[in-house]
Amino acid sequence: MKLSDLKTAQQVIEERRQDPAFRAEWDRTAFARDVALRIVRYRTENNLTQTALARMVGMTQSVIARLESGDQPPSIPTLAKLSKGTGMEFDVKITRGSVEFVAA
């Protein structure tokens, strides 16, 4: 198989979203994935390890690792700690049972 024959991650996800079980799980974890991506981006842009970030925000490395996994959405107090320790902003909209970030 050639590299050019491989599908992109986005193509694979779009195909998998046709499966109702996959789509339900994908949608359920959307907010957690958004938080995870923001944390990873912050760490890499600031050259921080998980441990260094954890110290900055008053958490443990294992909590940062769990947040970065994107499996479970963080609590509001956790987002507040991250914001206080890093200056990251989280504008959140909760509507009809869904949670999402809104443009600041």
Side-chain angles (χ1 to χ4, degrees), residues 20-72:
F22 178 87
R23 186 174 51 249
E25 182 66 8
W26 185 258
D27 292 345
R28 183 190 72 77
T29 59
F31 179 70
R33 278 193 319 278
D34 285 346
V35 171
L37 290 171
R38 287 176 184 229
I39 293 170
V40 170
R41 187 177 305 120
Y42 180 88
R43 273 199 324 102
T44 56
E45 287 174 355
N46 291 280
N47 249 356
L48 297 169
T49 63
Q50 288 180 342
T51 301
L53 177 60
R55 286 185 185 128
M56 281 178 62
V57 298
M59 297 178 184
T60 63
Q61 177 275 327
S62 62
V63 170
I64 299 299
R66 279 195 301 275
L67 289 169
E68 287 185 358
S69 76
D71 291 333
Q72 294 297 320

Side-chain angles (χ1 to χ4, degrees), residues 27 31 76 91-102:
D27 292 345
F31 179 70
I76 298 297
D91 294 318
V92 179
K93 179 179 179 182
I94 302 171
T95 309
R96 296 185 180 151
S98 68
V99 180
E100 61 185 283
F101 285 117
V102 293

Side-chain angles (χ1 to χ4, degrees), residues 7-32:
K7 296 177 184 177
T8 66
Q10 191 61 41
Q11 289 171 325
V12 172
I13 290 167
E14 287 305 315
E15 287 177 8
R16 297 284 316 272
R17 283 182 55 82
Q18 304 307 312
D19 173 25
F22 178 87
R23 186 174 51 249
E25 182 66 8
W26 185 258
D27 292 345
R28 183 190 72 77
T29 59
F31 179 70

